[in-house]
Amino acid sequence: MRKSIFTDFFCLCAAVFISAVICIGTVLLLVSEEHYKSNRFNYLSVKSETIINTVRGSIAENGGLDTAKLSEALAPLSDTLDTDITLTDPDGVALVCSEASPCSHTDKKINPQAISRITEDGASELSNFNGYYEDSSFVFAQKINIEVETYIILIRLRSNTLTGHMLTLVAALIISSVLILSVAFTIIYTASRRLLSPIREMTMAAQRFGEGDFSKKLYVTDDNELGYLATQLNDMANSLEQLEETRKSFISNVSHELKTPMTTIGGFVDGILDGTIPESQHRHYMKIVSAEVGRLSRLVRSMLNISKYEAGELKLSTEDFDILPVILQTLTSFEKNIDEKNIDIQIQDADGCRINADPDLTGQVVYNLIENAVKFVNKGGYIRFSFSADGDMCSVSIRNSGDGLKEQEISKVFDRFYKTDESRGIDPGGVGLGLSIVSSIIKLHNGKIVVSSEPDQYTEFTFSLRKAETDRR
């Protein structure tokens, strides 16, 4: 069973609140107990003076200890103060007791250990006075000297009010704790649901994204870490959606580009083998087959280069070199096409354009751009090469006259398999990967490439690479 963050968070908060309530309740009980004891001890200490004065007054008035009269004097005082008052001799034998007859202390004697704790200053304690009383209670004991006699007076609160007080306090704490925890749990539950609701939505959204459903994005309202995470998930979903569309488009385009030449090759080969195509035309159709094989080869090679770039396997081996010789050498490869279309080659501001790049990959960039320019330049037109420097970057522009690009085509020229309407008629054998490869190589060099065009005037590609290290010093 999958664990729930909500359950863990709620249980954690509940445990913290319960622990806090228990700790606070325990401290309050201990403090209250000590305070109550202190209050009771003070009460006994204060009231003991009245009782002792009553004892002294009775003995003085009667010329000695008259147990009957002293009992009569102590009885109403005992009831008023809710205490039991016992007067004993120095050995702890009861002489007078305020309890109803018969007195429970008649046959008892104070334990010597208890007598040893009694002083003339008097002291209070919570105990059964070493078994002298049946249960523990608040007791005040003091030795008093009257004339030549020494007595011990014990004053005991009749009821063990501490137990009742603590029970009342515990009950109050339990009731208040239940109320506090009920309110706290309600708040924690509501807050937890609200705080963790975005996480549940993000979990469900991530599951949808993982299944390839990008139709429903996350609604971002909070300006916090969760809101930022939701925004990142939406961005990821958009990227994945775009990647999925690109993948589908790539597979569709590759399938189409592979299917067309293979169908042509298969048809012509089958025609030659079964005799449908006469032997006199074999050479003609074999040239077509050869051209289609070359087209397949270029397609596969271009796809491999793009795959290497995306996989990070296309490594750079940079060095300083002059870009102009690369351009001139590449132009010789298209000499026949240039002569046939009577193209005017123009080179401007070529001095000092040395770059730091991979010579082989840069050569492929130059080749693809020049090939593109030669294809689409108009007859009797021009191809112009110009160079410029900006800081640490060197820019190379290749402009060809001609029909130019439409506005909606400019943003798509670097897309895989994209071919303009004009290119489909001029170059039906092209696969539409040349400019995509150029863009990938330039990005690999951390450079930049842009395209500009004027309809019926020109098309210009400008790429920028870092200057040679010697020129940057």
Side-chain angles (χ1 to χ4, degrees), residues 267-286:
F268 290 153
V269 170
D270 290 341
I272 292 173
L273 291 176
D274 62 18
T276 303
I277 299 176
E279 187 174 350
S280 60
Q281 296 182 353
H282 283 187
R283 183 176 179 80
H284 170 72
Y285 285 103
M286 287 302 293

PDB file of all heavy atoms in Angstrom, residues 267-286:
ATOM      1  N   GLY A 267      11.077  -0.858 -57.400  1.00  0.00           N
ATOM      2  CA  GLY A 267      10.298  -0.962 -58.648  1.00  0.00           C
ATOM      3  C   GLY A 267      11.168  -1.132 -59.872  1.00  0.00           C
ATOM      4  O   GLY A 267      10.895  -1.998 -60.732  1.00  0.00           O
ATOM      5  N   PHE A 268      12.226  -0.312 -59.946  1.00  0.00           N
ATOM      6  CA  PHE A 268      13.095  -0.392 -61.118  1.00  0.00           C
ATOM      7  C   PHE A 268      13.888  -1.691 -61.152  1.00  0.00           C
ATOM      8  O   PHE A 268      14.079  -2.298 -62.210  1.00  0.00           O
ATOM      9  CB  PHE A 268      14.042   0.814 -61.170  1.00  0.00           C
ATOM     10  CG  PHE A 268      13.334   2.109 -61.498  1.00  0.00           C
ATOM     11  CD1 PHE A 268      13.836   3.329 -61.077  1.00  0.00           C
ATOM     12  CD2 PHE A 268      12.149   2.096 -62.233  1.00  0.00           C
ATOM     13  CE1 PHE A 268      13.189   4.509 -61.381  1.00  0.00           C
ATOM     14  CE2 PHE A 268      11.488   3.283 -62.530  1.00  0.00           C
ATOM     15  CZ  PHE A 268      12.002   4.479 -62.106  1.00  0.00           C
ATOM     16  N   VAL A 269      14.387  -2.133 -59.975  1.00  0.00           N
ATOM     17  CA  VAL A 269      15.145  -3.390 -59.915  1.00  0.00           C
ATOM     18  C   VAL A 269      14.255  -4.559 -60.308  1.00  0.00           C
ATOM     19  O   VAL A 269      14.654  -5.448 -61.089  1.00  0.00           O
ATOM     20  CB  VAL A 269      15.748  -3.591 -58.513  1.00  0.00           C
ATOM     21  CG1 VAL A 269      16.319  -5.003 -58.374  1.00  0.00           C
ATOM     22  CG2 VAL A 269      16.838  -2.562 -58.246  1.00  0.00           C
ATOM     23  N   ASP A 270      13.034  -4.590 -59.779  1.00  0.00           N
ATOM     24  CA  ASP A 270      12.103  -5.664 -60.155  1.00  0.00           C
ATOM     25  C   ASP A 270      11.792  -5.621 -61.640  1.00  0.00           C
ATOM     26  O   ASP A 270      11.673  -6.679 -62.310  1.00  0.00           O
ATOM     27  CB  ASP A 270      10.803  -5.529 -59.358  1.00  0.00           C
ATOM     28  CG  ASP A 270      10.999  -5.872 -57.880  1.00  0.00           C
ATOM     29  OD1 ASP A 270      12.003  -6.539 -57.568  1.00  0.00           O
ATOM     30  OD2 ASP A 270      10.144  -5.457 -57.072  1.00  0.00           O
ATOM     31  N   GLY A 271      11.650  -4.405 -62.203  1.00  0.00           N
ATOM     32  CA  GLY A 271      11.368  -4.273 -63.642  1.00  0.00           C
ATOM     33  C   GLY A 271      12.504  -4.794 -64.492  1.00  0.00           C
ATOM     34  O   GLY A 271      12.282  -5.408 -65.557  1.00  0.00           O
ATOM     35  N   ILE A 272      13.746  -4.543 -64.059  1.00  0.00           N
ATOM     36  CA  ILE A 272      14.903  -5.045 -64.799  1.00  0.00           C
ATOM     37  C   ILE A 272      14.977  -6.557 -64.706  1.00  0.00           C
ATOM     38  O   ILE A 272      15.243  -7.263 -65.691  1.00  0.00           O
ATOM     39  CB  ILE A 272      16.192  -4.388 -64.266  1.00  0.00           C
ATOM     40  CG1 ILE A 272      16.201  -2.905 -64.617  1.00  0.00           C
ATOM     41  CG2 ILE A 272      17.429  -5.081 -64.837  1.00  0.00           C
ATOM     42  CD1 ILE A 272      17.340  -2.134 -63.998  1.00  0.00           C
ATOM     43  N   LEU A 273      14.717  -7.112 -63.478  1.00  0.00           N
ATOM     44  CA  LEU A 273      14.841  -8.555 -63.282  1.00  0.00           C
ATOM     45  C   LEU A 273      13.764  -9.340 -64.008  1.00  0.00           C
ATOM     46  O   LEU A 273      14.032 -10.424 -64.552  1.00  0.00           O
ATOM     47  CB  LEU A 273      14.793  -8.867 -61.774  1.00  0.00           C
ATOM     48  CG  LEU A 273      16.013  -8.404 -60.949  1.00  0.00           C
ATOM     49  CD1 LEU A 273      15.787  -8.695 -59.471  1.00  0.00           C
ATOM     50  CD2 LEU A 273      17.287  -9.105 -61.428  1.00  0.00           C
ATOM     51  N   ASP A 274      12.529  -8.830 -64.021  1.00  0.00           N
ATOM     52  CA  ASP A 274      11.459  -9.614 -64.662  1.00  0.00           C
ATOM     53  C   ASP A 274      11.286  -9.275 -66.143  1.00  0.00           C
ATOM     54  O   ASP A 274      10.373  -9.764 -66.805  1.00  0.00           O
ATOM     55  CB  ASP A 274      10.133  -9.417 -63.909  1.00  0.00           C
ATOM     56  CG  ASP A 274       9.661  -7.971 -63.914  1.00  0.00           C
ATOM     57  OD1 ASP A 274      10.123  -7.181 -64.742  1.00  0.00           O
ATOM     58  OD2 ASP A 274       8.814  -7.623 -63.038  1.00  0.00           O
ATOM     59  N   GLY A 275      12.162  -8.388 -66.675  1.00  0.00           N
ATOM     60  CA  GLY A 275      12.131  -8.102 -68.109  1.00  0.00           C
ATOM     61  C   GLY A 275      11.130  -7.046 -68.517  1.00  0.00           C
ATOM     62  O   GLY A 275      10.980  -6.764 -69.722  1.00  0.00           O
ATOM     63  N   THR A 276      10.435  -6.434 -67.558  1.00  0.00           N
ATOM     64  CA  THR A 276       9.468  -5.389 -67.903  1.00  0.00           C
ATOM     65  C   THR A 276      10.176  -4.198 -68.543  1.00  0.00           C
ATOM     66  O   THR A 276       9.663  -3.578 -69.480  1.00  0.00           O
ATOM     67  CB  THR A 276       8.714  -4.939 -66.646  1.00  0.00           C
ATOM     68  OG1 THR A 276       8.083  -6.072 -66.036  1.00  0.00           O
ATOM     69  CG2 THR A 276       7.666  -3.885 -66.985  1.00  0.00           C
ATOM     70  N   ILE A 277      11.348  -3.864 -68.004  1.00  0.00           N
ATOM     71  CA  ILE A 277      12.150  -2.783 -68.590  1.00  0.00           C
ATOM     72  C   ILE A 277      13.103  -3.392 -69.614  1.00  0.00           C
ATOM     73  O   ILE A 277      13.897  -4.289 -69.282  1.00  0.00           O
ATOM     74  CB  ILE A 277      12.944  -2.046 -67.496  1.00  0.00           C
ATOM     75  CG1 ILE A 277      11.984  -1.420 -66.467  1.00  0.00           C
ATOM     76  CG2 ILE A 277      13.857  -0.976 -68.105  1.00  0.00           C
ATOM     77  CD1 ILE A 277      12.666  -0.764 -65.300  1.00  0.00           C
ATOM     78  N   PRO A 278      13.040  -2.961 -70.852  1.00  0.00           N
ATOM     79  CA  PRO A 278      13.917  -3.544 -71.894  1.00  0.00           C
ATOM     80  C   PRO A 278      15.379  -3.275 -71.586  1.00  0.00           C
ATOM     81  O   PRO A 278      15.726  -2.295 -70.910  1.00  0.00           O
ATOM     82  CB  PRO A 278      13.466  -2.829 -73.166  1.00  0.00           C
ATOM     83  CG  PRO A 278      12.799  -1.594 -72.720  1.00  0.00           C
ATOM     84  CD  PRO A 278      12.177  -1.908 -71.399  1.00  0.00           C
ATOM     85  N   GLU A 279      16.236  -4.148 -72.084  1.00  0.00           N
ATOM     86  CA  GLU A 279      17.673  -4.069 -71.796  1.00  0.00           C
ATOM     87  C   GLU A 279      18.269  -2.759 -72.273  1.00  0.00           C
ATOM     88  O   GLU A 279      19.196  -2.236 -71.659  1.00  0.00           O
ATOM     89  CB  GLU A 279      18.391  -5.240 -72.462  1.00  0.00           C
ATOM     90  CG  GLU A 279      19.860  -5.349 -72.074  1.00  0.00           C
ATOM     91  CD  GLU A 279      20.506  -6.604 -72.650  1.00  0.00           C
ATOM     92  OE1 GLU A 279      19.796  -7.471 -73.174  1.00  0.00           O
ATOM     93  OE2 GLU A 279      21.742  -6.708 -72.549  1.00  0.00           O
ATOM     94  N   SER A 280      17.708  -2.188 -73.311  1.00  0.00           N
ATOM     95  CA  SER A 280      18.240  -0.925 -73.850  1.00  0.00           C
ATOM     96  C   SER A 280      18.064   0.240 -72.871  1.00  0.00           C
ATOM     97  O   SER A 280      18.766   1.246 -72.981  1.00  0.00           O
ATOM     98  CB  SER A 280      17.547  -0.595 -75.184  1.00  0.00           C
ATOM     99  OG  SER A 280      16.132  -0.466 -74.975  1.00  0.00           O
ATOM    100  N   GLN A 281      17.146   0.100 -71.939  1.00  0.00           N
ATOM    101  CA  GLN A 281      16.894   1.175 -70.967  1.00  0.00           C
ATOM    102  C   GLN A 281      17.468   0.873 -69.584  1.00  0.00           C
ATOM    103  O   GLN A 281      17.271   1.639 -68.633  1.00  0.00           O
ATOM    104  CB  GLN A 281      15.387   1.429 -70.850  1.00  0.00           C
ATOM    105  CG  GLN A 281      14.765   1.936 -72.129  1.00  0.00           C
ATOM    106  CD  GLN A 281      13.282   2.234 -71.957  1.00  0.00           C
ATOM    107  OE1 GLN A 281      12.689   1.940 -70.923  1.00  0.00           O
ATOM    108  NE2 GLN A 281      12.697   2.831 -72.989  1.00  0.00           N
ATOM    109  N   HIS A 282      18.166  -0.263 -69.475  1.00  0.00           N
ATOM    110  CA  HIS A 282      18.724  -0.638 -68.174  1.00  0.00           C
ATOM    111  C   HIS A 282      19.661   0.433 -67.629  1.00  0.00           C
ATOM    112  O   HIS A 282      19.613   0.791 -66.452  1.00  0.00           O
ATOM    113  CB  HIS A 282      19.482  -1.965 -68.293  1.00  0.00           C
ATOM    114  CG  HIS A 282      18.564  -3.150 -68.337  1.00  0.00           C
ATOM    115  ND1 HIS A 282      19.029  -4.467 -68.302  1.00  0.00           N
ATOM    116  CD2 HIS A 282      17.202  -3.229 -68.426  1.00  0.00           C
ATOM    117  CE1 HIS A 282      18.001  -5.295 -68.387  1.00  0.00           C
ATOM    118  NE2 HIS A 282      16.878  -4.554 -68.457  1.00  0.00           N
ATOM    119  N   ARG A 283      20.547   0.935 -68.467  1.00  0.00           N
ATOM    120  CA  ARG A 283      21.523   1.930 -68.012  1.00  0.00           C
ATOM    121  C   ARG A 283      20.820   3.184 -67.487  1.00  0.00           C
ATOM    122  O   ARG A 283      21.207   3.753 -66.455  1.00  0.00           O
ATOM    123  CB  ARG A 283      22.466   2.289 -69.155  1.00  0.00           C
ATOM    124  CG  ARG A 283      23.559   3.268 -68.734  1.00  0.00           C
ATOM    125  CD  ARG A 283      24.541   3.529 -69.871  1.00  0.00           C
ATOM    126  NE  ARG A 283      25.554   4.477 -69.457  1.00  0.00           N
ATOM    127  CZ  ARG A 283      26.628   4.179 -68.722  1.00  0.00           C
ATOM    128  NH1 ARG A 283      26.799   2.929 -68.316  1.00  0.00           N
ATOM    129  NH2 ARG A 283      27.500   5.113 -68.385  1.00  0.00           N
ATOM    130  N   HIS A 284      19.780   3.614 -68.191  1.00  0.00           N
ATOM    131  CA  HIS A 284      19.043   4.804 -67.780  1.00  0.00           C
ATOM    132  C   HIS A 284      18.423   4.633 -66.392  1.00  0.00           C
ATOM    133  O   HIS A 284      18.568   5.500 -65.513  1.00  0.00           O
ATOM    134  CB  HIS A 284      17.952   5.114 -68.822  1.00  0.00           C
ATOM    135  CG  HIS A 284      17.002   6.174 -68.366  1.00  0.00           C
ATOM    136  ND1 HIS A 284      17.335   7.515 -68.269  1.00  0.00           N
ATOM    137  CD2 HIS A 284      15.689   6.079 -67.946  1.00  0.00           C
ATOM    138  CE1 HIS A 284      16.306   8.193 -67.836  1.00  0.00           C
ATOM    139  NE2 HIS A 284      15.280   7.357 -67.634  1.00  0.00           N
ATOM    140  N   TYR A 285      17.806   3.488 -66.188  1.00  0.00           N
ATOM    141  CA  TYR A 285      17.126   3.268 -64.905  1.00  0.00           C
ATOM    142  C   TYR A 285      18.115   2.934 -63.779  1.00  0.00           C
ATOM    143  O   TYR A 285      17.851   3.217 -62.611  1.00  0.00           O
ATOM    144  CB  TYR A 285      16.077   2.170 -65.046  1.00  0.00           C
ATOM    145  CG  TYR A 285      14.843   2.644 -65.776  1.00  0.00           C
ATOM    146  CD1 TYR A 285      14.617   2.310 -67.110  1.00  0.00           C
ATOM    147  CD2 TYR A 285      13.918   3.450 -65.147  1.00  0.00           C
ATOM    148  CE1 TYR A 285      13.500   2.756 -67.793  1.00  0.00           C
ATOM    149  CE2 TYR A 285      12.794   3.910 -65.811  1.00  0.00           C
ATOM    150  CZ  TYR A 285      12.590   3.563 -67.134  1.00  0.00           C
ATOM    151  OH  TYR A 285      11.485   4.033 -67.801  1.00  0.00           O
ATOM    152  N   MET A 286      19.258   2.333 -64.159  1.00  0.00           N
ATOM    153  CA  MET A 286      20.274   2.077 -63.152  1.00  0.00           C
ATOM    154  C   MET A 286      20.866   3.392 -62.628  1.00  0.00           C
ATOM    155  O   MET A 286      21.246   3.506 -61.461  1.00  0.00           O
ATOM    156  CB  MET A 286      21.387   1.190 -63.705  1.00  0.00           C
ATOM    157  CG  MET A 286      20.966  -0.270 -63.884  1.00  0.00           C
ATOM    158  SD  MET A 286      20.385  -1.046 -62.346  1.00  0.00           S
ATOM    159  CE  MET A 286      21.877  -1.082 -61.400  1.00  0.00           C
TER     160      MET A 286
END
